Amino acid sequence: MTEMNEKLVFDKPESVIDRATHYCPGCHHGIAHRLVGELLDEMQLTEKSLLIGSIGCSVFLYNYLNVDAVEAPHGRAPAVGTGVKRARPDNFVFTYQGDGDLASIGMAEIMHAANRGEKISVVFVNNTVYGMTGGQMAPTTLIGQKTTTSPAGRCVAHEGAPIRMAEIIASLGGVAYAARGSLDCVKNIRAAKKHIKKAFECQVNATGFGFVELLSGCPTNWKMTPVQANERIQKEMIPYFPLGVFKDISEEGGIC
Amino acid sequence: MSKQPERIFIKGNEAIARGALAARCKCFFGYPITPQNDIPEFMSSAMIKAGGDFVQAESEVAAANMLLGAGAAGIRAMTSSSSPGMSLKQEAISYMAGSEVPAVVVNMNRGGPGLGDIGPAQGDYYQSTRGGGHGDYRHFTFGPGTVQEAYDLTIRAFDIAFEHRTPVLILGDAILGQMKEPITPWEPEGVDDEAGRDWAISGRTGGRDKRLIKSLFLAEGELAGQNKHLQAKYDSWTDLAECEQFETQDAELVICAYGSIGRIAKSAVRKFRKEGKKVGLFRPITLYPFPSADLKKLAEEGKRFLTIEHNLGQMVDDVRLAVRTICDSEFFPIYPGNLPTPDELEAPILACLEGK
Ligand SMILES: Cc1ncc(C[n+]2csc(CCOP(=O)(O)OP(=O)(O)O)c2C)c(N)n1
Ligand code: SF4
Ligand SMILES: [Mg+2]
């Protein structure tokens, strides 16, 4: 009998703690966590990192990343991040926020942190619903999308149009980098990682505020299978939330 | 206390800012609101000169959450506001209490509810002493009565905040903030700038275990354990309660009043004493922990009590709780919108003294 030779070709990043996930099958939070973890490893930021947790399904990110962390109230992560970064300017400070957290209750905090050009990085997971509380309408919910609080489908006349955060953030003075990626397929995941890396570099090089929006699936609240959720991102989300870089002054030496 | 015998003539607001500076405060997060604007104005340059940082936040919500961040990072930091802004800060204060983040918060109380007015008032006593946000918590609260005391207690506030990992509130009012008095500034010795070395988030340098500062406790029994731990901390503060007693020894009637009103009441007591009337003053300096034991002792000596506040009756609850097994306290309200003089307090004190 010949001995089988096993070779590990896909390991966990060191920054990611090896534990069972609490996320639903097909949830993209885990992918986003992994991308962040890979970059912390590659950029050797793990020991310097201070994570600002936010409120949403990803509140437990601090259980998965092996970095120091503080938990912010719902929507306030950019303000908490501001305080942390001003207190410890030599550390690497980043927030990780959902769309209800960032684009609704935390709209003031994200806009002003971005506009001040805080030297922090923001990973923004847009899954078009409030995942943790059971799939209510978010500011990013697509037109016509049915949620538990928009049972007839989101209507522009009644609920307004979905907010495109990456474009809004790109328009603010202190922003060095603003981009939108997607986690629906391998090609997009690889591109998303490049966006996050750029945003992180803007902090490392003190260029300015870095922002990456990630279109993500919430199969549970979308009432879809993981495969259907990926298809929905392609067919419905990307046409409304175009992928790409909306601002990049990382090569220009930054903002005073 | 290093010697710095110079006298300076400054407002209460500036005394608090200078006290914070002396206490080696490194970050300040503010938002404009009358009557506390002198504090962020002073700090905007003072913090930079001190090698720290200043942010004019987009709101009091943000300012208080910035404070949470700086405190979690183990840095001495402060925010200040006045009543309407304090309502907005309660979210972060609750989180700081829950996750045991040290920080100093200043409220220069103005009239309320709602937008109220910009004059002095003590309507925020409940909010300041009961845990003004959601959940089962308290925080340390000082009620300075003079500009010197405002300076001194600000320095104390930072020590208490870091020693007990708690938000500490300094509750003044528009009188204290805007009044100028000569004070003797001093600088504390041996301030530990790295007091958070064992718990603050600072990065896992050297590969140490990660640290987590949070107030979410979902596992069975975990939150109960945390709340018990917090309560034990609050109970341990009982011995730190402080008060000023003035002419209470042989007093028949003791006026209970705090902050600016305590000071005005003191003038009234002086006047009564000149007339041979046995009136004294009990002025809590810590509003939480409330100096109940000292008050109870006075009750046991058979004294009567009149509580005077610049509100419709809030601290009087604490006075009554302290003396409840022995006697009660009368109450006299001063409405917001006016600046009471010692003369105005004479009639109610006299009425009480004569048992009317
Ligand atoms: C002040 C406050 N309001 C409401 C909530 C309840 N809440 C918890 S998570 C959440 C929504 C999170 O949605 P999102 O940010 O989109 O994150 P997701 O779960 O979708 O990743 C809400 C409203 C809260 N914790 N605090
Ligand atoms: S509810 Fe949605 S966002 Fe939350 S874990 Fe499940 S799939 Fe992910
Ligand atoms: Mg969401």
Side-chain angles (χ1 to χ4, degrees):
Chain A
M1 241 187 3
T2 50
E3 214 174 273
M4 268 241 287
N5 262 340
E6 277 191 49
K7 194 170 155 229
L8 192 62
V9 292
F10 191 71
D11 202 0
K12 268 200 155 47
E14 271 184 38
S15 299
V16 177
I17 295 164
D18 194 3
R19 63 184 295 165
T21 179
H22 82 287
Y23 294 109
C24 307
C27 178
H28 286 168
H29 272 304
I31 300 176
H33 289 14
R34 184 183 167 100
L35 295 184
V36 170
E38 285 178 0
L39 286 167
L40 295 183
D41 283 6
E42 288 164 25
M43 297 172 76
Q44 296 182 333
L45 291 171
T46 314
E47 291 197 356
K48 279 180 82 177
S49 282
L50 305 178
L51 158 69
I52 319 298
S54 71
I55 313 296
C57 280
S58 61
V59 65
F60 296 113
L61 172 55
Y62 49 61
N63 289 337
Y64 298 108
L65 287 186
N66 196 10
V67 298
D68 275 9
V70 55
E71 180 182 80
H74 194 23
R76 316 296 178 223
V80 174
T82 298
V84 170
K85 186 71 180 184
R86 300 288 183 130
R88 294 203 179 268
D90 297 334
N91 281 91
F92 180 78
V93 178
F94 68 102
T95 78
Y96 180 111
Q97 305 172 254
D99 44 347
D101 189 89
L102 181 142
S104 189
I105 194 168
M107 189 59 135
E109 285 76 19
I110 188 65
M111 293 287 281
H112 286 278
N115 196 54
R116 281 192 304 268
E118 294 297 337
K119 308 295 182 292
I120 63 173
S121 316
V122 173
V123 178
F124 168 49
V125 174
N126 175 2
N127 58 13
T128 73
V129 282
Y130 285 74
M132 186 181 229
T133 41
Q136 295 84 359
M137 187 183 68
T140 43
T141 294
L142 290 176
I143 296 159
Q145 184 182 340
K146 288 186 175 141
T147 72
T148 53
T149 50
S150 58
R154 184 183 189 147
C155 161
V156 176
H158 198 243
E159 284 100 15
I163 292 178
R164 295 184 180 98
M165 282 311 298
E167 290 86 334
I168 292 174
I169 295 298
S171 72
L172 298 172
V175 176
Y177 186 78
R180 182 183 291 114
S182 172
L183 303 179
D184 64 295
C185 63
V186 174
K187 173 173 150 266
N188 284 343
I189 291 170
R190 293 171 84 103
K193 183 173 172 182
K194 287 195 184 119
H195 292 319
I196 304 173
K197 183 171 186 185
K198 274 269 188 184
F200 282 7
E201 281 169 354
C202 286
Q203 179 175 176
V204 171
N205 303 329
T207 324
F209 184 86
F211 182 92
V212 179
E213 176 171 343
L214 300 172
L215 303 184
S216 307
C218 174
T220 301
N221 286 303
W222 294 358
K223 299 183 173 44
M224 290 178 176
T225 64
V227 174
Q228 287 169 331
N230 285 344
E231 284 165 6
R232 175 179 184 250
I233 294 176
Q234 277 290 339
K235 289 195 189 113
E236 295 177 32
M237 282 179 78
I238 293 176
Y240 188 88
F241 296 113
L243 305 185
V245 179
F246 300 96
K247 185 171 187 183
D248 183 4
I249 59 151
S250 58
E251 311 299 327
E252 292 167 27
I255 305 146
C256 170
Chain B
M1 180 169 152
S2 67
K3 264 160 271 341
Q4 233 186 340
E6 101 213 70
R7 297 279 280 170
I8 52 172
F9 187 60
I10 54 170
K11 280 188 191 180
N13 279 337
E14 190 180 333
I16 286 176
R18 284 178 183 262
L21 204 58
R24 301 182 61 81
C25 174
K26 283 291 181 298
C27 288
F28 186 93
F29 310 103
Y31 189 85
I33 185 168
T34 308
Q36 60 81 54
N37 290 321
D38 312 279
I39 303 176
E41 284 165 6
F42 183 96
M43 293 303 243
S44 62
S45 50
M47 285 294 92
I48 308 295
K49 275 186 219 145
D53 217 338
F54 168 89
V55 181
Q56 179 167 321
E58 58 271 29
S59 68
E60 288 88 348
V61 172
N65 279 290
M66 290 173 191
L67 186 69
L68 190 167
I75 301 298
R76 290 187 161 220
M78 183 163 100
T79 187
S80 67
S81 190
S82 179
S83 308
M86 287 309 298
S87 294
L88 295 186
K89 288 189 197 292
Q90 297 307 323
E91 175 189 66
I93 294 173
S94 167
Y95 276 74
M96 287 191 270
S99 52
E100 299 187 86
V101 169
V104 177
V105 180
V106 180
N107 177 10
M108 286 303 180
N109 202 159
R110 63 185 245 186
L115 203 49
D117 64 16
I118 56 167
Q122 297 184 327
D124 299 350
Y125 182 88
Y126 278 157
Q127 184 198 58
S128 308
T129 55
R130 265 67 183 159
H134 63 285
D136 211 351
Y137 74 93
R138 302 292 177 110
H139 53 63
F140 215 97
T141 302
F142 284 114
T146 67
V147 175
Q148 179 75 55
E149 205 171 61
Y151 183 91
D152 300 347
L153 292 181
T154 304
I155 294 173
R156 284 279 315 282
F158 278 96
D159 290 339
I160 300 260
F162 274 81
E163 199 174 318
H164 300 271
R165 284 187 61 184
T166 177
V168 178
L169 180 71
I170 298 167
L171 180 62
D173 66 3
I175 303 176
L176 182 73
Q178 296 302 324
M179 179 175 62
K180 269 193 169 185
E181 282 187 307
I183 71 158
T184 306
W186 55 281
E187 294 205 353
E189 271 162 19
V191 171
D192 183 1
D193 290 324
E194 281 296 328
R197 63 174 67 74
D198 293 333
W199 54 263
I201 55 162
S202 54
R204 294 178 44 233
T205 314
R208 71 150 165 75
D209 285 349
K210 71 168 176 158
R211 290 175 181 170
L212 179 51
I213 294 187
K214 62 162 184 147
S215 59
L216 179 68
F217 298 98
L218 286 183
E220 200 176 325
E222 221 187 349
L223 182 59
Q226 173 70 356
N227 284 6
K228 257 188 225 166
H229 161 71
L230 292 178
Q231 188 56 48
K233 173 158 84 176
Y234 306 150
D235 290 343
S236 79
W237 295 347
T238 312
D239 296 342
L240 300 175
E242 270 178 56
C243 62
E244 181 200 7
Q245 296 200 30
F246 178 66
E247 304 276 17
T248 51
Q249 203 155 25
D250 65 338
E252 287 165 23
L253 180 71
V254 174
I255 313 300
C256 299
Y258 78 93
S260 302
I261 300 302
R263 183 197 192 134
I264 293 165
K266 196 173 183 178
S267 302
V269 167
R270 274 203 192 95
K271 200 165 166 204
F272 278 115
R273 281 285 168 176
K274 273 193 197 134
E275 296 164 10
K277 296 195 168 71
K278 292 187 168 172
V279 182
L281 170 74
F282 182 89
R283 183 175 68 87
I285 293 171
T286 54
L287 304 178
Y288 190 89
F290 192 75
S292 307
D294 293 310
L295 199 55
K296 190 175 179 193
K297 234 177 256 159
L298 294 178
E300 283 162 351
E301 290 164 14
K303 301 184 193 309
R304 291 184 293 129
F305 299 96
L306 167 65
T307 305
I308 303 179
E309 294 175 73
H310 210 168
N311 60 40
L312 306 189
Q314 299 190 20
M315 184 183 78
V316 67
D317 287 2
D318 286 332
V319 173
R320 286 178 173 149
L321 277 171
V323 303
R324 71 188 183 285
T325 52
I326 302 150
C327 61
D328 198 0
S329 171
E330 300 291 326
F331 177 68
F332 181 76
I334 300 162
Y335 290 84
N338 65 346
L339 206 84
T341 62
D343 295 349
E344 284 171 51
L345 302 187
E346 278 174 37
I349 294 173
L350 206 58
C352 225
L353 195 63
E354 290 167 0
K356 284 183 205 151

